[in-house]
Amino acid sequence: MKLNDRGLLVVISGPSGVGKGTVRKALFDMPNNNLVYSVSMTTRPKRPGEIDGVDYYFVSEAEFLKRKKSGKFLETAEFVGNYYGTPLDKVNEQLDLGNEVVLEIEVDGAQQVKKKMPDCVMIFIVPPGKNALYERLRRRGTESEEIIVERIEKANREFKLAHRYDYIVVNDEVHNAADRIMAIIRAEHAKTERSIHKYMELIDEN
Amino acid sequence: MKLNDRGLLVVISGPSGVGKGTVRKALFDMPNNNLVYSVSMTTRPKRPGEIDGVDYYFVSEAEFLKRKKSGKFLETAEFVGNYYGTPLDKVNEQLDLGNEVVLEIEVDGAQQVKKKMPDCVMIFIVPPGKNALYERLRRRGTESEEIIVERIEKANREFKLAHRYDYIVVNDEVHNAADRIMAIIRAEHAKTERSIHKYMELIDEN
């Protein structure tokens, strides 16, 4: 019996190149989960095969900026001239249904989410060591040394943001990391601040 | 990889009759755990077959009171003329070894532990409803109605102490409850306040 029926907003972030996406995929592959993705809204043109409301919500720039101004996003970002954002109302709908909404985002976006929804669960994914991450960043593509150095410097800045998160999870082995995140979700539901309301009702009723 | 090597002090408490002991036993039966009991110290005479240091540490009343005065207990209680206490140094020894020390105690003792070791994990076990607990208290023995009423009144007072705990776990099914406590232990190790120190070392080193 769960004393907190509302879903949790779970923010998965961490330094660039740490493998956030792989951990998130492993998490969604776990049995009996009630995790859902949040579909982002974007001003980027729809590509062939993409479905509105499934891949993204596609909107015009004017529409996006109007929504942004009226506080309708959990977080927004700009990337090569297009806007991306997480619609607040869609997230709340899922949370009300009792689903855990998982956001896998960059550190800047994570901070925006924390401000907008302070009771979210902030998880920082880290590599088992700096060198492990440097190697990943090097292996990633065929980019010039300059770009690689830039990425490493960015990761070095991001490493220091761990204190802004509720939990630190090492991505030494992706299934360990996913397992630990599942444990965090179960534990968070049992936290007194989230469960005492329904507990008091239970005790008063019968 | 665990970023917090020190064990956790896990306090399991709850209203009288909720089944704390059963939950604790189910917890210790779980595979791959590193849970340990804390052996209490007592002034009660040793019974045949009991082993000093295994069942209890048996000491004289003078010795017990001396230790109590110098703050060497996590918590103490008096029961039918005998003293019982949890020795602080033994608990710290186990925590340093990386074992999780589980204390299953009454609500008064739990509050003493919280004061003495604020970073312990406080778990409040609750019944799925008031009536479930009343029935348990009635079924327990052949006591008079007066004693049963007294117990129910005690449980009613204890119900209201949930807000003093970090987590509320419903004992609807004992294995669910034990599972949830294991998730809490895993999550607590990943908490930023417990893991950031080793993480910073990891990042500085390599």
Side-chain angles (χ1 to χ4, degrees):
Chain A
M1 186 193 237
K2 218 163 68 173
L3 284 175
N4 176 42
D5 296 328
R6 190 171 155 87
L8 302 171
L9 176 61
V10 181
V11 177
I12 295 180
S13 193
S16 314
V18 76
K20 296 187 279 291
T22 325
V23 171
R24 194 247 303 138
K25 272 193 206 95
L27 199 61
F28 276 81
D29 284 342
M30 291 186 79
N32 306 318
N33 74 64
N34 60 335
L35 310 173
V36 295
Y37 293 100
S38 142
V39 178
S40 292
M41 194 167 276
T42 185
T43 60
R44 152 166 105 50
K46 193 160 83 172
R47 291 175 191 154
E50 284 185 334
I51 301 165
D52 187 47
V54 174
D55 298 291
Y56 286 98
Y57 296 103
F58 295 96
V59 294
S60 67
E61 193 171 308
E63 172 71 17
F64 191 99
L65 293 174
K66 202 184 85 186
R67 282 171 181 259
K68 189 179 170 182
K69 211 176 161 186
S70 52
K72 287 187 173 162
F73 288 113
L74 257 178
E75 53 90 36
T76 58
E78 205 186 327
F79 185 66
V80 289
N82 295 306
Y83 290 104
Y84 295 81
T86 304
L88 186 56
D89 55 346
K90 301 289 177 187
V91 168
N92 273 322
E93 262 172 38
Q94 288 296 333
L95 297 178
D96 288 342
L97 288 171
N99 293 320
E100 333 284 3
V101 178
V102 177
L103 291 184
E104 174 221 327
I105 46 178
E106 300 301 311
V107 292
D108 294 336
Q111 282 315 114
Q112 293 180 47
V113 175
K114 181 76 189 170
K115 265 192 199 157
K116 198 93 177 182
M117 217 184 260
D119 74 341
C120 70
V121 181
M122 297 272 288
I123 300 175
F124 198 61
I125 310 286
V126 301
K130 262 186 179 176
N131 289 333
L133 190 121
Y134 295 163
E135 272 165 41
R136 277 183 69 112
L137 288 174
R138 285 190 178 279
R139 273 203 314 262
R140 252 193 176 180
T142 51
E143 286 92 351
S144 67
E145 186 63 21
E146 200 183 345
I147 288 180
I148 290 169
V149 167
E150 216 171 82
R151 278 187 184 166
I152 287 180
E153 280 169 3
K154 186 167 175 244
N156 282 344
R157 287 192 301 274
E158 292 172 338
F159 273 139
K160 292 172 191 149
L161 303 177
H163 64 278
R164 297 186 180 170
Y165 290 77
D166 302 313
Y167 298 94
I168 303 176
V169 170
V170 184
N171 184 19
D172 49 350
E173 205 279 306
V174 66
H175 293 287
N176 277 348
D179 248 15
R180 199 167 286 267
I181 294 173
M182 274 301 183
I184 290 169
I185 292 173
R186 292 200 72 191
E188 281 282 334
H189 275 288
K191 262 200 176 170
T192 300
E193 62 208 73
R194 298 193 199 270
S195 56
I196 198 161
H197 186 75
K198 190 172 165 195
Y199 165 70
M200 294 308 282
E201 283 177 6
L202 199 78
I203 290 307
D204 284 342
E205 267 171 25
N206 59 81
Chain B
M1 186 193 240
K2 217 163 69 174
L3 284 175
N4 176 42
D5 296 328
R6 191 171 155 86
L8 302 171
L9 177 60
V10 181
V11 177
I12 295 180
S13 193
S16 316
V18 77
K20 297 186 279 291
T22 325
V23 171
R24 195 246 303 139
K25 272 192 206 94
L27 198 61
F28 276 81
D29 284 343
M30 291 186 81
N32 307 319
N33 74 66
N34 59 335
L35 310 172
V36 295
Y37 292 99
S38 141
V39 178
S40 292
M41 195 168 276
T42 186
T43 60
R44 151 166 104 48
K46 193 159 85 174
R47 290 175 191 153
E50 284 185 336
I51 301 166
D52 187 48
V54 175
D55 298 290
Y56 286 98
Y57 297 103
F58 295 97
V59 294
S60 67
E61 194 171 306
E63 172 71 18
F64 190 99
L65 294 174
K66 202 183 86 186
R67 282 171 181 260
K68 188 179 171 182
K69 210 175 160 187
S70 51
K72 288 187 173 162
F73 288 112
L74 256 178
E75 53 90 36
T76 59
E78 206 187 326
F79 186 65
V80 289
N82 295 305
Y83 290 105
Y84 295 82
T86 305
L88 186 55
D89 55 348
K90 302 289 178 186
V91 168
N92 273 322
E93 261 171 39
Q94 289 296 333
L95 297 178
D96 288 342
L97 288 171
N99 293 320
E100 333 284 3
V101 178
V102 177
L103 292 184
E104 174 221 329
I105 47 179
E106 300 301 312
V107 292
D108 294 336
Q111 282 316 114
Q112 293 180 47
V113 175
K114 182 76 189 168
K115 265 192 202 157
K116 198 92 177 182
M117 217 183 260
D119 73 341
C120 69
V121 182
M122 298 273 287
I123 300 175
F124 199 60
I125 310 285
V126 301
K130 262 186 180 175
N131 290 332
L133 190 121
Y134 295 163
E135 272 165 40
R136 276 183 69 111
L137 288 174
R138 285 189 178 282
R139 273 203 312 262
R140 252 194 177 179
T142 52
E143 286 91 350
S144 67
E145 187 62 21
E146 201 184 344
I147 288 180
I148 290 169
V149 168
E150 215 171 81
R151 278 187 182 165
I152 287 179
E153 281 170 0
K154 187 170 174 238
N156 282 343
R157 287 191 302 273
E158 292 171 338
F159 274 138
K160 292 171 191 149
L161 303 177
H163 63 278
R164 297 186 180 170
Y165 290 76
D166 301 313
Y167 297 94
I168 303 175
V169 170
V170 184
N171 185 19
D172 49 351
E173 206 281 305
V174 66
H175 293 287
N176 278 348
D179 249 14
R180 201 167 284 267
I181 294 173
M182 274 300 183
I184 290 169
I185 292 173
R186 290 199 73 191
E188 281 283 333
H189 274 289
K191 262 200 176 168
T192 301
E193 62 208 71
R194 298 192 198 272
S195 56
I196 197 161
H197 186 75
K198 191 172 165 193
Y199 165 70
M200 293 308 282
E201 282 177 7
L202 201 76
I203 290 306
D204 284 341
E205 266 170 27
N206 58 82

